[in-house]
Amino acid sequence: METTSRAVEQAPAAEGGQQVPSARRTVDGYLEAPFPWYGLDEAFTGRRWLMQVGAGADGAVEHGSVGHGDEPSVRHETAGEDRGRFAVVVTVAANPVRRSADGTGVMEATSVSSAAWLAGVGLLSFTWPGQMDHSLRDDWLDQQTETAWVLADDLAGPDWSTLSLPVDGVPTPFHYRESEFGWVLAGSTEAGVHLGAYGRGMSAYGLGFSVIKDIAEYA
């Protein structure tokens, strides 16, 4: 699979799995990106919040996420709908295979599979089983992360269906799958980026995406 680095940047977690408040996140990294960021379109009227950006080996911003709705919790005592209703949109720069900045190697390309994997791992970061013993969590996450990788590498496989959603007002096909933890989707845009999204408690079928005109609105 052509993809970004498998080291995913998600919202920073504090001790005990609690997420760092949005007030401590800044738009700086987002402003450094040479590509447009996407979020839910104006039909969504709820809260919007920043997560984090991810950079390649050359330091250039390659992907990042923004959240909508309730900031999800991974506390063990919460489960199902009680853990909030949210949708996270992942934007991934559509980069071809290219030389590294120092000319000594090759940077991996990105693809729709990149967006699918980042979205799949993002969902996992908030959704391990509530009754699982804490000592087993890392093993479970490793196993599920590898599963997300395999699924993202087979977007034409039986685990995925096709869903058409508007992107900047244009109907766009997405690869879509559901699990007991939530849903994941991935597709590409005419603006030269790949989009991934994941969520829980909010139906993916009614969503639409558009370019974020002012990323500061998420801060």
Side-chain angles (χ1 to χ4, degrees):
M1 175 173 65
E2 294 179 337
T3 183
T4 54
S5 168
R6 295 179 68 172
V8 183
E9 294 287 349
Q10 295 294 339
E15 185 68 27
Q18 297 305 298
Q19 297 301 309
V20 175
S22 294
R24 290 174 56 185
R25 305 172 198 155
T26 70
V27 300
D28 294 354
Y30 296 87
L31 296 175
E32 294 175 3
F35 55 86
W37 294 104
Y38 272 79
L40 297 186
D41 61 21
E42 67 278 358
F44 176 77
T45 59
R47 182 168 174 247
R48 299 171 184 255
W49 34 277
L50 296 177
M51 295 184 74
Q52 277 193 315
V53 301
D58 59 354
V61 174
E62 290 190 339
H63 62 85
S65 304
V66 292
H68 308 77
D70 303 321
E71 290 198 55
S73 169
V74 292
R75 291 176 300 177
H76 283 226
E77 65 269 19
T78 58
E81 296 298 318
D82 292 337
R83 288 192 287 185
R85 300 174 64 255
F86 67 91
V88 172
V89 180
V90 183
T91 305
V92 183
N95 292 326
V97 175
R98 60 212 187 279
R99 301 296 297 180
S100 61
D102 60 8
T104 61
V106 175
M107 305 292 288
E108 293 182 346
T110 59
S111 67
V112 178
S113 290
S114 308
W117 185 74
L118 287 166
V121 174
L123 180 62
L124 289 174
S125 68
F126 296 117
T127 53
W128 68 73
Q131 302 304 314
M132 179 175 288
D133 185 273
H134 196 277
S135 64
L136 300 177
R137 185 183 67 192
D138 288 345
D139 288 341
W140 181 86
L141 283 174
D142 286 344
Q143 179 185 42
Q144 294 300 317
T145 296
E146 188 62 30
T147 298
W149 175 263
V150 172
L151 288 171
D153 200 24
D154 186 23
L155 294 177
D159 293 292
W160 297 88
S161 60
T162 300
L163 177 64
S164 180
L165 297 172
V167 177
D168 294 323
V170 178
T172 303
F174 284 88
H175 301 278
Y176 175 78
R177 67 178 177 88
E178 294 181 355
S179 74
E180 61 183 301
F181 307 115
W183 52 262
V184 172
L185 59 80
S188 296
T189 77
E190 296 180 353
V193 299
H194 304 298
L195 288 186
Y198 61 91
R200 183 178 60 237
M202 292 173 59
S203 172
Y205 287 85
L207 301 183
F209 306 95
S210 62
V211 170
I212 298 173
K213 296 179 180 178
D214 183 6
I215 192 65
E217 294 179 355
Y218 281 75

